[in-house]
Amino acid sequence: LEVTLLSHCKKIGSGKNFNIFRTKSNSSSSSPIIGDSDSSYDYYLQEHPIPHTYNRLNIPDGTKSSTGTALNNVLKRRPEWLDKQQDIVPQETLPQPTFDTPDTVHSISHCEDGSMNCTQPIDVPFFGENDHGTACCVRVHLPTNNNKSRPKKEVMVGISHQKLSRQSAYWLKDVKKRYEHFGIDQFVSQFVAYEVTHPFHIVARSGWFCLGFANENEFEEGTGSTFAGKNTGARLDIFNDTYNCPMIHFASGFSEVVGNYSRAIIGYGVNDCHPRMFFVDKEEIVRMLTTG
């Protein structure tokens, strides 16, 4: 593997949980993009998975000077090949999750003024629709309107997550005080499928899931995880149920399997203590995004 540094930029954004995805370029201009003219890609920095927000990355190819003000425009919100009105097109409605999970029957009743005492509180979904970034993206093909006789549609699939965060403590804003016993740092994830062309709208969402512990048989002297079969005490405990998975899981990696397009690999952290990776068949991802 040979890596060549073409340019250097101290910062292309601020925040965390960003992801980079790419799609075939729609531009025939000479703007510098890595790759040859027949298979050029545009690269995007995903800022939020739901609602989907992103910026196009203008990546230098080393043919022009990378000094002075040239780096000031490394991150560009408006690609040259898009009209101003087509920058990020808001999606009016999101597809419903493909299967129900315990949160489906729970809502948060809160006051618009932020108080805990109002006569007409508003009910909102427990997890809402502002997910945190996790990992992205793997290509799969979804059936068109669940019709197997029609050509399948290629989509990009990412993973987003929600958590009971100490900072927001949103569940404590429920005026009925139904969730005061919930502990912090409870994580759930879901698959999110996006169109492969601008405006990269969301076309499908799975229900929520959690990722499991490492089994004892995953330990091999010198090669396996020394935590396999251990660190299983802190489990996901939410909606009065305890699940056989860690309370904290964060999928930091989601990628194609080299040499096997039918599978993907997910890498994640278990209770912020140790890593784990596993293979997943793309058919399973498709199932979760279609029939649940």
Side-chain angles (χ1 to χ4, degrees):
L1 176 65
E2 180 178 327
V3 178
T4 303
L5 180 65
L6 300 178
S7 65
H8 178 264
C9 180
K10 292 183 178 179
K11 184 173 71 173
I12 59 174
S14 60
K16 66 176 184 176
N17 299 350
F18 291 152
N19 293 294
I20 292 178
F21 66 90
R22 72 177 187 177
T23 187
K24 284 291 185 73
S25 175
N26 280 5
S27 174
S28 59
S29 68
S30 58
S31 59
I33 298 291
I34 289 178
D36 58 55
S37 58
D38 295 328
S39 59
S40 293
Y41 290 91
D42 285 335
Y43 292 79
Y44 291 82
L45 184 74
Q46 184 190 66
E47 296 177 335
H48 295 98
I50 299 178
H52 199 203
T53 60
Y54 47 85
N55 284 299
R56 180 179 178 233
L57 290 169
N58 187 17
I59 303 176
D61 63 357
T63 60
K64 297 182 180 180
S65 171
S66 61
T67 60
T69 60
L71 295 180
N72 292 341
N73 295 320
V74 170
L75 187 62
K76 303 180 69 176
R77 178 169 293 276
R78 186 163 292 111
E80 292 87 347
W81 53 272
L82 297 178
D83 294 333
K84 291 182 179 181
Q85 294 80 10
Q86 290 183 311
D87 184 9
I88 293 179
V89 181
Q91 190 167 351
E92 293 184 2
T93 58
L94 293 174
Q96 290 297 310
T98 52
F99 55 88
D100 289 340
T101 45
D103 63 288
T104 305
V105 295
H106 292 273
S107 62
I108 293 179
S109 300
H110 73 100
C111 300
E112 285 189 290
D113 61 4
S115 71
M116 295 292 290
N117 184 19
C118 57
T119 57
Q120 293 182 318
I122 298 174
D123 286 347
V124 297
F126 185 86
F127 285 123
E129 294 182 340
N130 288 280
D131 291 6
H132 302 284
T134 313
C136 194
C137 290
V138 164
R139 299 288 180 111
V140 304
H141 289 82
L142 297 182
T144 305
N145 295 326
N146 292 325
N147 187 338
K148 296 182 178 180
S149 65
R150 297 183 63 183
K152 293 184 177 181
K153 179 177 182 177
E154 185 181 39
V155 296
M156 302 183 298
V157 177
I159 301 173
S160 67
H161 77 275
Q162 288 278 7
K163 65 176 181 177
L164 302 191
S165 169
R166 184 194 305 271
Q167 285 74 24
S168 64
Y170 65 87
W171 67 98
L172 297 179
K173 298 176 183 177
D174 179 59
V175 297
K176 299 178 182 179
K177 300 182 178 181
R178 291 168 289 183
Y179 313 112
E180 291 185 330
H181 61 291
F182 282 14
I184 63 170
D185 290 338
Q186 309 285 331
F187 279 62
V188 292
S189 295
Q190 68 176 345
F191 288 121
V192 186
Y194 305 95
E195 294 175 333
V196 297
T197 56
H198 186 271
F200 311 115
H201 275 166
I202 297 167
V203 297
R205 292 190 294 166
S206 74
W208 297 107
F209 58 83
C210 59
L211 300 176
F213 295 104
N215 297 321
E216 290 184 5
N217 59 11
E218 294 180 25
F219 172 75
E220 293 181 16
E221 191 69 34
T223 58
S225 171
T226 57
F227 286 93
K230 302 177 182 179
N231 191 30
T232 60
R235 298 173 180 246
L236 178 64
D237 185 356
I238 193 170
F239 301 119
N240 300 318
D241 277 312
T242 301
Y243 298 86
N244 189 27
C245 53
M247 59 183 287
I248 300 174
H249 75 268
F250 184 87
S252 55
F254 186 37
S255 178
E256 311 278 352
V257 172
V258 176
N260 189 347
Y261 184 75
S262 69
R263 306 180 84 190
I265 188 168
I266 297 176
Y268 65 100
V270 177
N271 282 332
D272 283 349
C273 291
H274 65 95
R276 184 175 187 243
M277 294 188 294
F278 70 98
F279 293 111
V280 58
D281 290 334
K282 288 187 177 180
E283 288 184 355
E284 176 64 10
I285 298 174
V286 170
R287 183 191 68 79
M288 293 181 68
L289 286 167
T290 51
T291 60

